[in-house]
Amino acid sequence: MLQPSVLPAIGTVQHCHFLDLHGITMPCTNLRQITRSRDMKTYAFLPLNAIMIIMVILGSTGCGSDNNTVTPAPTDVLGVTTVDGTTIRLTSGAPLRVGYSAIAVKAQRPDGAKPQKITVRTVMPSHGHGCPVTKPIDGPMYGDTYRCGIIFGMPGSWQLHTTIRYSDSDSVVAVFAVTVDASDLVRNIRVDDERGYVVTMIPPPTWKIGANDVHFYVYQTSDVREYQPVDDCTMEITPWMPSMGHGSVGNIQPTRIEDGLYKGSVNFSMSGAWTITNLISKPYGILTNLTFDVAVP
């Protein structure tokens, strides 16, 4: 029986050295093996970039269509694969970046079976660590789609290990390789050898003059692999406009609204470059004092 936290064997396909796609030779070192727990069969699937190249080639060579214009895949599609009849689709509302990214995992079978549970585990292979996986701010979705938030702590190449569980003896695991862009929205804080914290600011889609809702996640880790939400923080945010030498009034200090998540409001009195300072305290005293840069159009 495969438990959701136990991953099957994953490795590089050894017998394949290249792919010849209509005269284009591609290395296939990114092919992954996927093992299904029910019958322990092994599957291999192409990475998303290879799939997209195949689509481009087929589209450009006609395939029964008079239109040779290739429409690129939506930017929020991170990967699609089918494992023994289960099609797994990984999407994001925006390109992945350091900080909070909302993702969705959709699993479908021809017989219409619904997963009992879907889990996501993160790994950055080059550093051997993970990052926090949270609930989505705007609520869960049900049925065959699982939604969560991932707080990426570093830019670069990551793996998202997705487990689709239909029963105790029937689980499917797929590994998606994704690229995360840089941003200035995360702070990694090392308190001592036993404790570290991850704090991220989640800005609104667009900053504006006036009141802006702002969220902060706080997670704690002891091994940079497992993360727990921190619920006993007190936050004091202070907006400041360096070029004008003033702040603003009408701010609402963040308070906890769910596991590890704090919500407040910051008020900007004019457009331009601002900073938001967040003084975070724990019951024993000050944890950290962080500053984030903001541009208000």
Side-chain angles (χ1 to χ4, degrees):
M1 179 180 70
L2 177 67
Q3 300 297 331
S5 60
V6 179
L7 292 175
I10 301 172
T12 302
V13 178
Q14 300 296 326
H15 62 272
C16 178
H17 301 291
F18 63 89
L19 297 176
D20 191 353
L21 305 176
H22 287 254
I24 299 177
T25 300
M26 292 179 53
C28 63
T29 55
N30 288 332
L31 282 173
R32 310 297 293 174
Q33 289 181 345
I34 300 298
T35 303
R36 186 163 184 243
S37 64
R38 183 173 61 185
D39 48 18
M40 297 306 292
K41 293 180 181 178
T42 300
Y43 304 86
F45 63 90
L46 292 173
L48 181 60
N49 59 350
I51 295 173
M52 292 180 67
I53 290 175
I54 294 173
M55 293 172 62
V56 171
I57 293 170
L58 293 178
S60 62
T61 54
C63 293
S65 173
D66 295 332
N67 184 1
N68 290 329
T69 301
V70 178
T71 302
T75 57
D76 64 348
V77 177
L78 303 177
V80 181
T81 187
T82 299
V83 180
D84 197 21
T86 299
T87 298
I88 306 166
R89 182 182 182 90
L90 182 70
T91 60
S92 175
L96 302 180
R97 64 176 179 177
V98 170
Y100 178 92
S101 289
I103 69 164
V105 181
K106 186 179 182 68
Q108 291 181 305
R109 280 185 172 176
D111 60 5
K114 302 297 184 183
Q116 290 183 354
K117 187 175 184 180
I118 298 178
T119 59
V120 177
R121 185 173 68 89
T122 62
V123 177
M124 192 176 197
S126 61
H127 288 77
H129 62 69
C131 62
V133 178
T134 79
K135 298 177 182 178
I137 288 179
D138 50 355
M141 289 182 64
Y142 303 98
D144 53 12
T145 302
Y146 169 78
R147 299 181 68 201
C148 66
I150 298 178
I151 302 174
F152 292 105
M154 297 177 63
S157 298
W158 287 78
Q159 291 179 349
L160 304 185
H161 297 239
T162 61
T163 300
I164 318 297
R165 178 181 177 182
Y166 290 93
S167 68
D168 289 344
S169 59
D170 186 5
S171 297
V172 173
V173 178
V175 178
F176 293 92
V178 299
T179 300
V180 176
D181 296 332
S183 84
D184 192 38
L185 296 174
V186 167
R187 301 291 186 272
N188 294 286
I189 305 159
R190 175 57 64 179
V191 176
D192 50 41
D193 292 339
E194 300 295 328
R195 291 176 300 158
Y197 291 86
V198 176
V199 180
T200 186
M201 181 178 72
I202 308 174
T206 303
W207 295 107
K208 67 180 187 297
I209 297 174
N212 296 260
D213 286 342
V214 61
H215 296 79
F216 294 89
Y217 264 114
V218 184
Y219 271 76
Q220 179 178 341
T221 182
S222 59
D223 59 6
V224 299
R225 292 178 178 84
E226 300 294 331
Y227 293 81
Q228 298 79 38
V230 179
D231 296 324
D232 60 351
C233 289
T234 301
M235 297 186 179
E236 181 181 346
I237 56 174
T238 304
W240 185 255
M241 194 174 198
S243 64
M244 303 298 289
H246 65 71
S248 65
V249 297
N251 306 293
I252 300 175
Q253 300 305 328
T255 56
R256 178 189 176 277
I257 59 173
E258 64 176 53
D259 294 348
L261 179 61
Y262 299 76
K263 179 183 178 181
S265 178
V266 60
N267 183 56
F268 297 118
S269 57
M270 59 188 300
S271 61
W274 289 76
T275 63
I276 298 176
T277 300
N278 189 352
L279 178 64
I280 304 177
S281 300
K282 297 263 291 173
Y284 59 77
I286 294 175
L287 173 63
T288 187
N289 193 17
L290 307 175
T291 299
F292 299 90
D293 294 325
V294 172
V296 180

